[in-house]
């Protein structure tokens, strides 16, 4: 999460409320002031970078248990020493994250557009881990684990914090996650409590539990807190605060496009790719010590920051609130941005009318105005007393406030004022993998995919409602092998003007100037997309779909790549390809398999201390290369090397 | 123009160049398929000329596919890479290929030329053993092109360490690239990697077959010309036009050069 400079006192929700309209209004003005300047930008080059979030895990070997070390915030401060001293050419940059057991690392400089850079990504990630290791205690390890399996279980932190009831945690009122695990920068605790206060109750995250042979049916937990008992659903794992979501790690990346049009194009084209990558990178099947029936963190985080009131959620008639809102402020995007994509914006999207009017009056195009006005349906949740009146010409805090607390599958980022950074797109869905090899592979794969999209003018666009359907499927247990995903069949449309392409897709006859019929109307038309497996989408299938990897390989044959980079890329493509066929397991499936074959697992969905300990010891060994895990990225050649 | 007139043009020509046009968007077509398509192109021109344009200079027939849109990318940002696959070892072929590309792409020069020597069936799967004497004449033509300002950098492909050393030590303008096929070995042989590193020669990869124009394809193409005299294929040249620092390919095409013997 971004850190804003702060000045003055952080405000409680009730003190933010009177300023909501002001902040929103000035946020738009700040955006518009910036936008005018930006339209005159010269063309930017390709720059990109990854962000990996890590947890500091403490291994209590004597007692065979694992905990999250709350020293992460302090370690991060030490890591930032070099940045504070304004040292140049740093290998990596560090940021605090929501939880005090987390640190976030990025490369010191963005990667540039040439092919050899692909060979640097993994090495840089390795150096980041080495940097952190200097500050760790002997029983601590740094892990890029998406979800800590015993997050929220008794004494899961080091130091321990006993929770007797919601009153133990004034900020979150959580029964499970101590306030002391929330980063102390005031933005984080205030966000946490303001979400709760705006919503009018604690957040309630309910994740379906995996029903094993001896799991109680129905599975019901009884809590000391009546609010929890009312909110917890039977057969679900109940979680009750922001920490359960924002305390997870993910793998993100950002690209700079050459101009706003290319940024919009990449944003649109990557949207249908989001659910595919979520399913492929799935790494989180265990929540609060239970095996769940989902493999990814997505809906957990969505629930963890859901500040919508009952009215907005449609549970009560509208009175105080202006409108119903379909999604949490953390979820998938709701609309495409480029002119040509308009036809596929088939979700009804809530709009802040005041914001939209300001944007349209200033000359912004309809789609971008809708996009920003949609983000502006969310209220600011953190505000500082001395940072209310700003210089709208040169400061963008109010814009960033709302922009950065809309956490979506992708983010469209305007250049910050006074810098040489251009228009950027952030790709945010992927789950953190255990090893740098895998993280680098996923990152490089996406960058290559963008080069392929731009080279061959590929078109992945399909109704955005289908992308949302795919997002739901992508989270399922073993989605990568069992689910089918809507995907556009005809992605190679270059040579045909794109407006014609869309008309051709939705009509049997293409006639210039004619309106395309609405998608899904009763006339029979060739369908633009088809349900395909992840394998087909990634690896291709004759006469069905070309496949991302065959397209990438074709591209690689047309550019110059040195042998080292080519070898590395081949390894990465191999990993992605085999995850897609199921020859290699996703991290999520591997973790399930590990838990379910463990002698201390009793087929009741419970992941106790002993199982969690062994699981994380193994994860750490795999990351360090001490143990080879052939199921994750290799097939055993000899039986004796086969490791669970 | 009718079939007879076109056959007459062929009979009068001493060389034929067929340009594929920009094949970048024939995304799934590989080099074999492009080469196959030359046969269809020639046939089509003889019978109808549909979709093709032709130019007749003193003794050369130049055929080009009409769908070759040039993107409006400013030329200063484009890197033009050319690989000339010699079918017969005729040194002047490289100069000819370079000039074709410059003319078609309307550019000042080609950033790099890599020459692929004719398949010597005695060599190992991945590498060729080529003493300098065998590549000398071709290399000299390439050096001339650099001197003329038409080419920036020179490269070779599939050379093993000894051949590369020999070329490097004897060449006036040194090779800066050696393109190798890693299909059979994931890493380059140590001696090759070491020599390249010490002498600033970059090792790139390619995925081209040993013989880009199989005999069968060549025969099929030439069968269209039987009435016009004895012809052979001299070279195939392939270029890519890539936007620097964004690594987006804008244009990709092939030339086939046929010569009357």
């Amino acid at each position: 999460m971004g850190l804003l400079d702060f000045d003055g006192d952080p405000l409680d929700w009730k003190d933010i409320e009177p300023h909501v309209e002001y902040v929103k209004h000035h946020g738009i003005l700040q955006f518009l002031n910036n936008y005018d300047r930006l339209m005159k930008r010269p063309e930017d080059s390709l720059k990109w970078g990854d962000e990996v979030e890590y947890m500091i895990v403490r291994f209590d070997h004597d007692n065979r248990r694992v905990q999250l070390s709350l020293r992460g915030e302090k370690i991060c401060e030490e890591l930032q020493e070099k940045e504070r001293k304004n040292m140049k050419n740093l290998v990596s940059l560090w940021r605090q994250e929501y939880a005090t057991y987390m640190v976030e690392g990025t490369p010191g400089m963005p990667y540039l557009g040439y092919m050899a850079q692909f060979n640097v990504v993994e090495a840089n990630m390795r150096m980041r881990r080495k940097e952190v290791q200097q500050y760790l205690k002997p029983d601590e390890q740094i892990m890029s684990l998406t979800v800590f399996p015993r997050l929220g279980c008794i004494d899961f932190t080091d130091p321990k914090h006993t929770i007797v009831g919601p009153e133990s945690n004034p900020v979150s009122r959580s029964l499970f996650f101590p306030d002391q695990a929330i980063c102390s920068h005031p933005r984080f605790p205030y966000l946490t409590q303001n979400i709760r206060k705006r919503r009018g109750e604690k957040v309630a995250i309910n994740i379906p539990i995996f029903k094993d042979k001896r799991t109680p049916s129905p599975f019901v937990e009884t809590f000391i807190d009546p609010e929890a008992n009312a909110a917890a659903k039977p057969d679900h794992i109940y979680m009750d605060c922001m920490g359960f979501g924002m305390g997870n790690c993910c793998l993100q990346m950002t690209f700079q496009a050459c101009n706003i049009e290319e940024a919009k194009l990449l944003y649109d084209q990557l949207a249908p790719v989001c659910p595919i990558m979520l399913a492929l990178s799935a790494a989180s099947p265990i929540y609060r010590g239970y095996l769940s029936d989902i493999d990814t963190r997505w809906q957990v985080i969505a629930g963890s920051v859901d500040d919508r009131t009952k009215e907005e959620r449609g549970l009560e008639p509208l009175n105080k609130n202006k409108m119903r809102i379909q999604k949490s402020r953390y979820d998938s995007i709701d609309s495409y941005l480029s002119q040509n994509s308009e036809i596929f914006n088939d979700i009804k999207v809530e709009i802040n009318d005041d914001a939209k009017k300001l944007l349209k009056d200033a000359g912004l195009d309809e789609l971008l105005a809708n996009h920003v006005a949609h983000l502006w349906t969310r209220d600011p949740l953190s505000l500082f007393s001395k940072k209310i009146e700003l210089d709208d010409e040169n400061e963008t805090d109010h814009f960033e406030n709302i922009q950065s607390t809309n956490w979506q599958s992708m983010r469209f980022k305007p250049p910050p004022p006074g810098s040489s950074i251009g228009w950027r797109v952030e790709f945010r869905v992927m789950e953190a993998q255990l090893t740098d090899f895998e993280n680098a592979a996923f990152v490089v794969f996406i960058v290559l995919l963008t080069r392929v999209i731009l080279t061959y003018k590929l078109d992945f666009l399909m109704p955005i409602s289908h992308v949302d359907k795919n997002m739901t499927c992508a989270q399922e247990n073993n989605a990568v092998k069992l689910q089918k995903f809507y995907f556009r069949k005809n992605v190679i449309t270059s040579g045909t003007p794109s407006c014609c392409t869309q008309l051709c897709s939705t009509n049997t006859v293409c006639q210039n100037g004619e309106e395309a019929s609405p998608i899904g109307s009763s006339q029979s038309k060739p369908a633009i997309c088809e349900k395909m497996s992840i394998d087909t989408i990634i690896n291709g299938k004759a006469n069905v779909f070309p496949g991302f990897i065959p397209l990438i390989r074709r591209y690689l044959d047309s550019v110059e790549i040195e042998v080292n980079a080519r070898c590395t890329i081949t390894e990465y493509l191999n990993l992605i390809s085999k995850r897609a066929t199921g020859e290699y397991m996703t991290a999520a499936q591997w973790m399930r398999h590990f838990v379910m074959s463990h002698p201390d697992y009793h087929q009741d969905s419970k992941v106790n201390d002993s199982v969690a300990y062994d699981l994380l010891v193994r994860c750490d060994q795999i990351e360090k290369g001490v143990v080879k895990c052939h199921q994750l990225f290799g097939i055993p050649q000899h039986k004796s090397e086969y490791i669970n | 123009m009718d079939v007879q007139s076109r056959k007459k043009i062929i009979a009068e020509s001493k060389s034929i160049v067929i340009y594929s046009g920009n094949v970048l968007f024939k995304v799934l077509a590989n080099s074999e398929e492009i080469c196959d398509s030359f046969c269809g192109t020639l046939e089509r021109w003889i019978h109808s000329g549909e979709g093709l344009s032709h130019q007749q200079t003193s003794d050369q027939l130049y055929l080009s596919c009409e769908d070759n849109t040039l993107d409006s990318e400013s030329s200063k940002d484009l890197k033009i890479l050319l690989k000339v696959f010699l079918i017969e070892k005729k040194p002047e072929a490289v100069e000819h290929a370079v000039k074709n590309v410059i003319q078609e792409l309307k550019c000042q020069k080609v950033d790099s030329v890599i020459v692929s020597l004719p398949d010597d069936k005695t060599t190992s799967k991945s590498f060729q053993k080529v003493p300098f004497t065998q590549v000398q004449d071709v290399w000299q033509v390439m050096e001339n092109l650099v001197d003329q300002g038409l080419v920036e950098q020179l490269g070779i492909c599939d050379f093993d360490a000894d051949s590369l050393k020999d070329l490097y030590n004897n060449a006036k303008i040194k090779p800066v690239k050696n393109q190798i096929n890693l299909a059979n070995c994931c890493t380059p042989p140590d001696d090759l990697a070491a020599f390249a590193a010490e002498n600033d020669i970059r090792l790139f990869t390619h995925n081209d077959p040993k013989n880009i124009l199989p005999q069968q394809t060549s025969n099929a193409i030439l069968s269209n010309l039987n009435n016009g005299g004895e012809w052979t294929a001299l070279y195939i040249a392939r270029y890519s036009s890539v936007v620097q620092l964004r690594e987006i390919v804008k244009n990709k095409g092939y030339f086939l050069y046929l010569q009357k013997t």
Side-chain angles (χ1 to χ4, degrees):
Chain A
M1 268 191 303
L3 275 172
L4 306 175
D5 288 329
F6 71 96
D7 200 0
D9 300 316
L11 298 179
D12 214 58
W13 172 243
K14 66 177 189 327
D15 298 320
I16 295 181
E17 252 190 299
H19 298 290
V20 162
E21 291 309 315
Y22 181 93
V23 170
K24 286 188 174 183
H25 181 80
H26 287 267
I28 295 289
L29 294 181
Q30 289 167 3
F31 172 78
L32 287 171
N33 287 338
N34 208 18
Y35 190 78
D36 278 336
R37 272 192 289 266
L38 299 177
M39 293 319 281
K40 302 165 199 125
R41 273 187 91 78
E43 300 247 315
D44 291 305
S45 59
L46 171 64
K47 287 187 183 174
W48 57 279
D50 63 86
E51 287 165 44
V52 185
E53 293 170 340
Y54 306 90
M55 299 181 179
I56 313 290
V57 175
R58 180 190 170 245
F59 288 85
D60 179 355
H61 297 289
D62 295 333
N63 295 309
R64 288 174 49 80
R65 51 198 311 245
V66 277
Q67 294 168 305
L68 285 168
S69 167
L70 302 187
R71 298 190 328 109
E73 189 180 341
K74 192 118 203 337
I75 291 173
C76 199
E77 273 170 33
E78 305 203 48
L79 288 165
Q80 289 174 317
E81 180 76 31
K82 293 179 189 157
E83 289 169 62
R84 279 194 293 275
K85 286 182 179 159
N86 273 321
M87 285 172 68
K88 301 286 168 220
N89 297 324
L90 296 174
V91 165
S92 38
L93 302 175
W94 297 96
R95 295 288 165 266
Q96 273 105 352
E97 260 302 330
Y98 179 81
T100 51
Y101 53 78
M102 287 170 81
V103 294
E104 178 188 282
T106 64
M109 292 291 293
Y111 297 118
L112 300 177
Y114 53 95
M115 302 302 292
Q117 293 270 265
F118 290 133
N119 218 15
V120 174
V121 180
E122 194 178 332
N124 184 284
M125 289 177 176
R126 277 198 233 279
M127 288 178 78
R128 280 179 241 173
R129 275 186 216 258
K130 271 209 172 72
E131 253 192 87
V132 176
Q133 254 141 21
Q134 296 167 49
Y135 300 100
L136 298 180
K137 293 188 178 161
D139 56 356
E140 289 173 338
Q141 299 296 344
I142 177 172
M143 300 182 76
S144 50
L145 195 63
T146 300
V147 173
F148 184 73
R150 288 191 57 82
L151 191 72
C153 298
I154 306 251
D155 295 339
F156 78 96
T157 60
D158 173 55
K160 303 185 223 192
H161 293 282
T162 311
I163 301 172
V164 298
E167 63 276 11
S168 304
N169 294 314
V171 170
S172 66
R173 293 190 60 79
S174 172
L175 299 178
F176 316 106
F177 192 98
D179 282 352
Q180 292 89 342
I182 305 175
C183 183
S184 64
H185 183 293
R187 175 184 154 89
F188 298 108
Y190 273 83
L191 260 177
T192 313
Q193 81 180 16
N194 289 343
I195 284 173
R196 182 168 57 74
K197 292 191 176 178
R198 183 185 187 282
R199 181 184 165 98
E201 56 187 359
K202 275 199 300 192
V203 295
I205 310 163
N206 279 291
I207 296 302
I209 194 166
F210 172 69
K211 286 291 193 73
D212 206 344
K213 292 194 182 70
R214 288 158 66 190
T215 312
S217 197
F219 169 81
V220 172
E221 287 181 293
T222 318
F223 303 103
I224 11 161
D225 178 32
E227 188 185 347
N229 288 326
K233 289 190 196 161
D235 290 338
H236 285 71
I237 306 162
Y238 168 70
M239 292 173 270
D240 66 357
C241 69
M242 188 169 173
F244 281 107
M246 290 302 185
N248 295 335
C249 294
C250 64
L251 178 64
Q252 291 177 173
M253 46 193 308
T254 305
F255 319 88
Q256 175 174 276
C258 70
N259 55 32
I260 191 178
E261 292 311 319
E262 190 180 90
K264 288 181 187 175
L265 183 105
L266 285 178
Y267 181 92
D268 288 355
Q269 294 302 333
L270 287 175
V273 177
C274 289
I276 312 305
M277 298 315 293
L278 184 58
L280 263 176
S281 65
S284 38
I286 306 168
Y287 296 92
R288 235 191 83 226
Y290 292 107
L291 266 180
S292 76
D293 217 6
I294 57 170
D295 272 357
T296 80
R297 78 210 185 279
W298 194 260
Q299 59 189 276
V300 176
I301 315 191
S304 76
V305 294
D306 191 356
D307 68 331
R308 291 175 298 161
T309 62
K310 282 202 164 78
E311 292 174 27
E312 287 168 331
R313 282 177 277 145
L315 300 174
E316 281 174 11
L318 287 175
N319 181 16
K320 246 193 97 193
N321 295 121
K322 288 188 197 144
M323 60 181 111
R324 288 190 56 181
I325 306 180
Q326 278 293 107
K327 292 179 177 170
S328 156
R329 60 199 297 157
Y330 181 107
D331 212 326
S332 46
I333 60 164
D334 290 310
S335 63
Y336 295 114
L337 295 178
S338 329
Q339 271 324 107
N340 295 334
S341 325
E342 188 163 14
I343 189 178
F344 297 114
N345 281 340
D346 65 336
I347 298 181
K348 186 170 174 299
V349 162
E350 307 91 359
I351 296 289
N352 176 320
D353 292 319
D354 295 332
K356 178 145 183 205
K357 183 165 192 316
L358 273 176
L359 293 163
K360 291 287 307 210
D361 287 348
L364 229 71
D365 68 272
E366 178 79 8
L367 284 121
L368 194 54
N370 277 341
H371 168 80
V372 179
H374 177 54
L375 300 178
W376 253 242
T377 54
R378 311 290 179 179
D379 291 340
L381 293 170
S382 84
L383 198 58
F384 294 90
S385 59
K386 290 206 182 128
K387 275 272 186 174
I388 299 179
E389 284 187 22
L390 302 173
D391 170 11
D392 291 338
E393 282 286 321
N394 294 305
E395 295 179 85
T396 51
D397 285 44
H398 291 328
F399 170 73
E400 283 300 331
N401 190 330
I402 298 179
Q403 159 91 326
S404 72
T405 54
N406 269 273
W407 293 281
Q408 296 187 307
S409 45
M410 300 221 290
R411 195 175 269 149
F412 185 72
K413 296 170 76 148
S419 94
S420 60
I421 299 172
W423 289 91
R424 291 150 299 153
V425 173
E426 202 181 337
F427 190 77
R428 300 165 49 85
V429 286
M430 297 194 288
E431 307 238 298
Q433 308 295 289
L434 293 176
T435 66
D436 293 327
F437 166 68
E438 297 163 285
N439 283 327
F442 276 91
V443 163
V444 167
F445 180 79
I446 296 292
V447 185
L448 282 173
L449 195 59
T450 62
R451 301 303 93 195
V452 167
I453 290 168
L454 292 174
T455 289
Y456 297 119
K457 303 198 205 291
L458 299 178
D459 193 352
F460 294 155
L461 295 183
M462 57 175 175
I464 202 156
S465 61
H466 281 12
V467 178
D468 267 0
K469 292 191 188 103
N470 286 347
M471 282 298 284
T472 307
C473 289
Q475 303 174 53
E476 297 286 312
N477 184 345
N478 210 8
V480 71
K481 283 205 82 176
L482 301 178
Q483 294 290 327
K484 293 265 195 287
F485 295 80
Y486 289 103
F487 214 82
R488 185 178 176 127
K489 284 193 298 195
N490 183 16
V491 298
I492 302 174
T493 57
S494 49
T496 337
S498 43
C499 58
C500 184
T501 309
Q502 283 152 36
L503 291 173
C504 291
S505 314
T506 55
N507 282 323
T508 48
V509 173
C510 172
Q511 279 163 19
N512 280 334
E514 202 165 89
E515 289 267 301
S517 310
I519 294 151
S521 82
S522 54
Q523 290 171 270
S524 68
K525 291 183 252 302
I528 190 178
C529 49
E530 192 176 281
K531 279 194 152 183
M532 304 179 203
S533 66
I534 296 284
D535 188 13
T536 300
I537 294 169
I538 296 290
N539 293 311
K541 192 171 179 182
N543 301 321
V544 174
F545 191 72
F548 290 174
I549 290 187
L551 287 167
I552 292 175
R553 291 211 168 107
R554 186 47 50 88
Y555 163 80
L556 292 173
D557 287 340
S558 304
V559 294
E560 277 197 314
I561 322 174
E562 286 181 76
V563 297
N564 294 333
R566 186 64 192 256
C567 264
T568 304
I569 291 173
T570 301
E571 289 289 312
Y572 293 163
L573 293 180
N574 203 34
L575 172 74
I576 305 285
S577 174
K578 294 188 174 177
R579 288 275 165 94
T581 61
E583 190 176 332
Y584 297 167
M585 289 178 156
T586 59
Q589 287 297 303
W590 175 79
M591 287 176 190
R592 278 185 196 278
H593 178 74
F594 185 95
V595 166
M596 291 171 78
S597 359
H598 195 285
D600 282 347
Y601 173 70
H602 308 300
Q603 300 180 312
D604 54 359
S605 314
K606 284 192 189 162
V607 179
N608 58 34
D609 277 319
S610 167
V611 177
Y613 170 81
D614 281 335
L615 172 64
L616 293 199
V617 164
R618 179 58 48 79
C619 288
D620 185 52
Q621 289 172 326
I622 291 170
E623 191 279 311
K624 291 184 162 60
V626 164
V627 153
K628 294 209 190 307
C629 182
H630 300 287
Q631 291 169 314
L632 277 179
F633 34 86
I635 292 286
Q637 286 160 330
H638 310 283
K639 265 286 181 190
S640 58
E641 280 181 14
Y642 189 88
I643 304 274
N644 254 0
Chain B
M1 196 188 280
D2 62 355
V3 176
Q4 288 303 353
S5 321
R6 281 192 272 267
K7 286 191 174 173
K8 185 155 173 284
I9 291 175
I10 291 176
E12 286 166 6
S13 305
K14 294 213 181 92
S15 62
I16 299 177
V17 177
I18 308 178
Y19 170 48
S20 65
N22 183 356
V23 297
L24 181 65
F25 299 116
K26 295 181 166 64
V27 182
L28 300 175
N30 59 21
S31 60
E32 281 98 42
E33 287 160 17
I34 305 286
C35 290
D36 276 340
S37 75
F38 280 130
C39 181
T41 302
L42 192 52
E43 221 177 270
R44 201 164 87 233
W45 185 74
I46 292 173
H47 289 111
S48 69
E50 198 189 313
L52 298 166
S53 67
H54 79 276
Q55 258 181 333
Q56 212 185 342
T57 56
S58 49
D59 47 13
Q60 181 178 294
L61 170 63
Y62 187 96
L63 293 179
S64 103
C65 290
E66 265 161 7
D67 58 344
N68 49 340
T69 42
L70 270 184
D71 221 302
S72 54
E73 198 83 23
S74 105
S75 57
K76 68 172 170 56
D77 294 324
L78 288 175
K79 195 171 48 170
I80 298 174
L81 312 166
L82 180 67
K83 183 168 177 180
V84 183
F85 298 84
L86 295 178
I87 299 165
E88 309 249 339
K89 198 159 80 68
K90 295 266 170 81
E92 64 271 20
V94 182
E95 174 156 0
H96 195 269
V98 167
K99 288 185 169 162
N100 274 335
V101 173
I102 288 177
Q103 189 178 4
E104 268 304 333
L105 298 185
K106 300 179 177 47
C107 57
Q108 311 283 11
K109 58 176 169 59
V110 168
D111 289 83
S112 87
V113 176
I114 289 183
V115 67
S116 170
L117 298 176
D119 180 23
D120 169 1
K121 291 173 179 58
T122 66
T123 59
S124 79
K125 267 186 159 178
S126 311
F127 296 101
Q128 290 183 316
K129 277 198 166 330
V130 183
F132 182 65
T133 46
Q134 269 186 41
V135 66
Q136 185 169 14
D137 49 359
V138 175
W139 199 257
Q140 268 165 9
V141 169
M142 290 165 73
E143 286 170 339
N144 283 338
L145 291 168
V146 175
D147 289 337
Q148 288 175 59
L150 297 177
V151 174
E152 285 260 320
Q153 296 184 323
L154 300 178
I156 198 70
C157 70
D158 302 318
F159 269 29
D160 69 0
D162 290 332
S163 312
L164 189 60
K165 273 180 205 162
D166 207 12
L167 171 62
Y168 188 86
N169 291 331
N170 287 295
K172 198 180 76 184
I173 297 178
K174 311 292 182 192
V176 296
K177 301 181 181 182
N178 184 19
Q179 238 193 28
I180 60 182
N181 192 330
L182 286 186
N184 296 321
C185 56
C186 191
T187 48
D190 290 336
D191 57 352
L192 183 60
F195 183 76
E198 283 158 27
N199 294 287
D200 281 327
I201 301 171
R202 295 168 74 190
L203 292 179
F204 287 101
T205 60
H206 75 80
N207 201 20
D208 296 316
K210 271 228 135 236
N211 193 355
I212 195 153
L213 189 68
Q215 197 59 48
Q216 207 178 353
T217 313
S218 176
N219 290 341
I221 296 172
L222 296 176
S223 70
N224 285 298
L225 304 171
N226 276 337
N227 295 342
E230 278 299 317
W231 292 82
T232 57
L234 221 55
Y235 73 80
I236 288 201
R238 179 184 63 211
Y239 69 86
S240 282
S241 169
V242 184
V243 181
Q244 307 237 46
L245 292 186
R246 289 174 60 221
E247 295 292 350
I248 294 169
V249 186
K250 283 292 181 183
N251 199 331
K252 183 173 170 179
Y254 292 71
F255 294 92
L256 169 64
Y257 185 92
L258 304 170
Q259 193 173 67
K260 199 178 266 179
T261 46

